[in-house]
Amino acid sequence: MASFSFGTGNAAKLLRIPLYAAGRIAALLIPRGDRWVFGCGAGIGDGALALYRVATEQGHRALWLARSSRDADDASAIGIRTVPRDSLRGWWATIRAGVVVVTHGLGDVNRYGSSDAFVVQLWHGIPLKRIGLDSPITAQVPQGIPGAAVLRRLLTVLYRGAAQRIQVLPAASHRSRGRLESAFGLGDDRVVVTGEPRVDVLSVGIPQQRRGDAAQLLTRTGPVLAHQRVLLYAPTWRDGAPDPAVPTAAQWVDIVRLLEKHDAILFIRSHPLGEGAYAPPWSSGRVRMLNSDLLADVTPALPRVDILITDYSSMAYDVGLLAMPVVYLAPDADRYALERGFYGRYADVAGDDSATDWETALDQLDAVLSDDAVRAERSARSAELSAHMHAYRDGQNARRVYQAIRARGIPAPKGAR
């Protein structure tokens, strides 16, 4: 079932143009202060949380804009102060902020208070599929709407204008940097190779500690025994369309049979902006949902995962930091390439053996779980892919982003030496 699409989102955006204009006028009259405000389209987590911790450690006043009571509760549990994003207080906090930090878009904070702000756009993954100005769906409007061509051009202008507010956009590597420059229409003075703060959690500390912390997150769904294999299925968003790889009843039988054979658990992480009928037609403790309402940020849980199954998720780049085997399941790769597009060829990431159905994917999973040599080969492929896309793996990406922000004229907190 579709929960959101660029078309419906853009239609709402066009209707809000007068409010954006009013916010821009207010920004000309209201001076900005020194507080940093943070928002994240995925909840309390991602790169925004990593940078929040560095900024507050350095002594900056910081405030998180909560999208919901769930966000507020999650933030309170770890000692973060919030105000509701869409309230008058959220607007005032945004329009007075000296630095605005987002991970998805300006709607992560109060969208009507971000004009002329110093915006740090952390983004939320290394682009594999085309995004922003490089993707035809960014300026999509609902089918049949009058003047669609004119509206698409207007949306492109608005998107490009909003992107020009970005002062710092961190890139994982020089290869990723070129994609982000193109997608946001920014120069290399704003897109900086610092590494992505959101993956620091995969590098800090020792592996045993990371694995233990990750296991604690996964036990929110029930027990996960130390010897059990953990598989994660993370399909990407298809602009509100259903996932063509949702298993049939017969395929669910085969999936559960494989899980029982290898004493494994399959966690399913559907995209926060899309839904699918992923649950098997009967209750099985071997298959568990791990959606954003249960775990806002899945990255800290990755060290306890043994194999990733995905199609076009940027998570495929991240798990290489853990040398995690990946099985690619993409029934619609050719169509997706035509409609959305990739940076480069899909085969450059997934290889020439990506599965187009669950039967093939299960054969590959069985091989990885059964054969040490196959597992080692898949792990090496994953690590090599990550090495091309992640320039840093020292857990200090958030600190490099902070230094880039300071280097662009943001002062030290009052009282700091």
Side-chain angles (χ1 to χ4, degrees):
M1 179 183 295
S3 62
F4 178 85
S5 71
F6 267 107
T8 56
N10 285 336
K13 193 177 299 182
L14 290 169
L15 294 174
R16 291 194 296 258
I17 287 178
L19 294 175
Y20 286 111
R24 185 166 185 81
I25 293 171
L28 297 174
L29 302 174
I30 300 172
R32 291 192 174 274
D34 60 357
R35 175 176 280 159
W36 293 34
V37 298
F38 290 77
C40 175
I44 310 302
D46 215 300
L49 180 58
L51 184 57
Y52 176 95
R53 286 171 169 158
V54 171
T56 53
E57 175 189 294
Q58 295 297 319
H60 293 278
R61 295 191 308 140
L63 184 66
W64 198 288
L65 300 190
R67 305 167 305 153
S68 63
S69 58
R70 162 69 188 276
D71 278 4
D73 291 343
D74 287 348
S76 177
I78 55 177
I80 294 178
R81 181 176 167 234
T82 66
V83 297
R85 178 192 63 182
D86 299 325
S87 67
L88 181 59
R89 292 171 64 200
W91 176 81
W92 182 252
T94 304
I95 207 162
R96 290 279 290 129
V99 177
V100 171
V101 180
V102 299
T103 60
H104 290 63
L106 293 174
D108 293 352
V109 292
N110 189 286
R111 63 181 74 248
Y112 309 119
S114 61
S115 294
D116 301 322
F118 185 103
V119 176
V120 180
Q121 167 58 279
L122 300 176
W123 203 235
H124 50 280
I126 298 172
L128 166 56
K129 54 184 179 288
R130 291 186 175 272
I131 61 171
L133 296 170
D134 294 335
S135 172
I137 72 169
T138 298
Q140 190 178 76
V141 295
Q143 291 184 354
I145 191 170
V150 173
L151 292 176
R152 283 193 293 268
R153 286 195 291 271
L154 175 59
L155 284 164
T156 299
V157 169
L158 292 173
Y159 186 93
R160 190 181 294 275
Q164 292 307 306
R165 301 179 200 169
I166 298 170
Q167 301 300 313
V168 175
L169 200 170
S173 62
H174 286 284
R175 181 174 294 187
S176 177
R177 180 187 202 171
R179 299 176 182 183
L180 293 170
E181 288 174 353
S182 176
F184 288 91
L186 297 173
D188 59 8
D189 59 323
R190 302 194 196 185
V191 185
V192 290
V193 180
T194 58
E196 294 182 320
R198 64 188 188 83
V199 297
D200 278 347
V201 69
L202 300 182
S203 301
V204 295
I206 60 175
Q208 294 89 337
Q209 183 62 51
R210 292 196 297 267
R211 188 172 175 86
D213 292 343
Q216 287 297 314
L217 294 174
L218 294 180
T219 54
R220 295 179 183 184
T221 67
V224 180
L225 303 181
H227 67 275
Q228 288 182 311
R229 306 287 187 89
V230 172
L231 283 59
L232 175 65
Y233 176 45
T236 196
W237 180 47
R238 287 170 168 79
D239 192 30
D243 178 9
V246 171
T248 65
Q251 288 170 335
W252 274 122
V253 171
D254 292 337
I255 291 169
V256 174
R257 183 179 293 126
L258 176 78
L259 298 174
E260 291 174 343
K261 174 182 177 181
H262 295 285
D263 193 9
I265 298 172
L266 173 65
F267 288 93
I268 300 177
R269 175 78 173 188
S270 61
H271 195 282
L273 291 179
E275 299 176 359
Y278 296 105
W282 71 95
S283 177
S284 172
R286 298 281 181 185
V287 180
R288 304 180 190 176
M289 302 304 296
L290 193 67
N291 291 340
S292 57
D293 57 347
L294 183 65
L295 185 63
D297 185 1
V298 74
T299 306
L302 293 179
R304 182 58 183 90
V305 176
D306 297 294
I307 304 174
L308 172 67
I309 310 160
T310 191
D311 42 25
Y312 321 120
S313 172
S314 61
M315 204 181 297
Y317 293 124
D318 301 336
V319 299
L321 293 169
L322 305 169
M324 184 189 301
V326 181
V327 169
Y328 293 90
L329 171 58
D332 59 342
D334 292 339
R335 178 178 176 181
Y336 200 87
L338 291 173
E339 294 181 353
R340 179 71 180 258
F342 298 108
Y343 291 102
R345 299 184 313 129
Y346 181 58
D348 295 337
V349 173
D352 296 322
D353 58 349
S354 60
T356 59
D357 53 50
W358 272 104
E359 288 74 18
T360 305
L362 290 174
D363 287 342
Q364 294 182 4
L365 288 167
D366 190 37
V368 175
L369 291 166
S370 303
D371 191 322
D372 289 343
V374 174
R375 182 163 57 253
E377 188 273 334
R378 291 263 178 175
S379 296
R381 282 171 54 178
S382 178
E384 182 179 6
L385 175 66
S386 177
H388 288 304
M389 300 305 296
H390 287 283
Y392 299 100
R393 53 194 67 222
D394 57 1
Q396 299 298 310
N397 298 338
R399 294 190 181 279
R400 279 185 287 271
V401 174
Y402 174 76
Q403 291 164 1
I405 295 168
R406 288 290 313 282
R408 283 154 179 78
I410 297 301
K414 294 178 181 179
R417 295 181 179 179

